[in-house]
């Protein structure tokens, strides 16, 4: 008589169990992989934009003299309009701009950018913010500021993916600090960390800290924290 050969195979129940296990593993690992990828893209975009703006300011100084001679307008007394020639001549002129939207940018009406604490937010449709859309898809907003004594600072806010979400400081919106008084451009917060020799300070509850419990400028220091950590988003970063 012939020999009976048993055929190897999976029953329907076994296949469903296997697929269920694969589904569980995917549900656990995929969000982590997606988040890590998002962090990687964010850091690369921030690093690139910082390089682009830094190089633009180097070129500007070659043509206009050292930034210590530029003279940031004190717009409180001179009015917001005094900012226009300053931003145009020293910064905007040296960037690849697709749309020079200027002060009180109408294209920004109704678009809100939220602080990392989730409570405070800002609109770039503002008379004291000079907005420009760059050809690489990012958007910058320039704001003159002072060090409590003299105007000499410019906050360069940059949204690395334009008007697309999440529009949150520390996630796709970052802050560069142009200090014309000391001729320096830094990602906001890195100087404070180095001065205090305390990285944890940037993760604390100060007004600009990279923390969800920080003040009404929360998220500004996230830029400097990424730079200080060697251009990476560390495990304790409040992503």
């Amino acid at each position: 008589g012939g020999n009976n050969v048993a055929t190897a195979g999976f029953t329907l129940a076994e296949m469903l169990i296997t697929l269920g296990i694969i589904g569980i593993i995917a549900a656990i690992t995929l969000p982590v992989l997606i988040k890590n990828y998002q962090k990687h893209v964010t850091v690369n975009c921030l690093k690139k934009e910082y390089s682009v703006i830094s190089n633009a300011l180097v070129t500007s100084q070659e043509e206009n003299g050292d930034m210590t001679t530029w003279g940031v307008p004190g717009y409180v007394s001179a009015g917001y309009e005094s900012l226009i020639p300053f931003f145009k001549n020293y910064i905007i002129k040296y960037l690849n701009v697709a749309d020079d939207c200027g002060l009180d940018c109408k294209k920004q009406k109704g678009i809100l950018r939220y602080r990392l604490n989730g409570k405070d937010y800002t609109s770039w449709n503002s008379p004291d913010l000079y907005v420009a859309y760059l050809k690489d898809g990012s958007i910058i907003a320039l704001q003159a500021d002072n060090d409590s004594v003299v105007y000499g600072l410019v906050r360069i806010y940059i949204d690395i993916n334009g008007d697309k979400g999440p529009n949150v400081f520390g996630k796709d919106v970052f802050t560069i600090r142009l200090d014309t008084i000391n001729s320096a451009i830094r990602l906001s917060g890195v100087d404070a960390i180095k001065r205090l020799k305390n990285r944890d300070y940037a993760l604390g509850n100060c007004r600009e800290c990279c923390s969800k419990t920080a003040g009404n400028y929360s998220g500004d220091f996230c830029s400097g924290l990424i730079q200080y950590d060697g251009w990476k988003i560390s495990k304790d970063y409040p992503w």
Side-chain angles (χ1 to χ4, degrees), residues 155-171:
R155 292 180 188 273
I156 305 175
Y157 300 115
I158 183 154
D159 193 322
I160 59 175
N161 64 348
D163 289 328
K164 296 194 293 285
N167 289 340
V168 174
F169 280 79
K171 294 198 173 181

Side-chain angles (χ1 to χ4, degrees), residues 56-73 86 89-91 94 154 178 180:
L57 290 167
V58 167
T59 305
S60 180
Q61 289 182 93
E62 288 171 355
E63 294 190 10
N64 301 307
D66 192 89
M67 66 175 71
T68 55
T69 66
W70 291 359
V72 178
F86 176 82
N89 295 335
Y90 291 111
I91 301 174
Y94 300 94
V154 176
L178 175 62
T180 67

Side-chain angles (χ1 to χ4, degrees), residues 3-179:
N3 294 327
N4 291 327
V5 179
T7 55
F10 292 103
T11 65
L12 180 59
E14 288 170 333
M15 287 184 68
L16 289 174
I17 290 168
T18 303
L19 289 172
I21 292 169
I22 292 171
I24 291 168
I25 293 170
I28 294 168
T29 57
L30 271 178
V32 174
L33 291 173
I34 291 169
K35 185 182 286 188
N36 287 339
Y37 174 74
Q38 288 172 336
K39 289 178 179 179
H40 177 73
V41 169
T42 296
V43 170
N44 283 347
C45 286
L46 175 60
K47 191 174 183 179
K48 176 197 160 228
E49 297 298 346
Y50 178 60
S51 176
V52 165
I53 292 172
S54 296
N55 289 337
L57 290 167
V58 167
T59 305
S60 180
Q61 289 182 93
E62 288 171 355
E63 294 190 10
N64 301 307
D66 192 89
M67 66 175 71
T68 55
T69 66
W70 291 359
V72 178
Y75 63 83
V76 172
S77 57
Y80 295 129
E81 298 299 312
S82 66
L83 296 171
I84 294 175
F86 176 82
F87 288 144
K88 273 183 175 291
N89 295 335
Y90 291 111
I91 301 174
I92 299 297
K93 179 181 173 183
Y94 300 94
L95 295 168
N96 289 320
V97 175
D99 184 359
D100 184 355
C101 203
L103 297 176
D104 207 13
C105 178
K106 297 296 182 286
K107 287 177 71 172
Q108 286 296 307
K109 196 169 184 179
I111 299 172
L112 298 179
R113 285 176 171 79
Y114 286 85
R115 288 290 173 176
L116 193 57
N117 61 21
K119 297 180 292 184
D120 296 291
Y121 56 86
T122 182
S123 168
W124 288 359
N125 172 221
S126 172
D128 69 327
L129 287 170
Y130 193 108
V131 174
Y133 288 71
L134 304 187
K135 288 180 181 176
D136 64 7
S138 63
I139 304 172
I140 62 168
L142 309 173
Q143 184 179 48
D145 202 354
N146 60 68
D147 64 355
S148 302
V149 179
V150 62
Y151 276 86
L153 305 178
V154 176
R155 292 180 188 273
I156 305 175
Y157 300 115
I158 183 154
D159 193 322
I160 59 175
N161 64 348
D163 289 328
K164 296 194 293 285
N167 289 340
V168 174
F169 280 79
K171 294 198 173 181
D172 61 345
V173 185
F174 296 94
T175 309
I176 298 172
R177 189 174 185 268
L178 175 62
D179 180 355

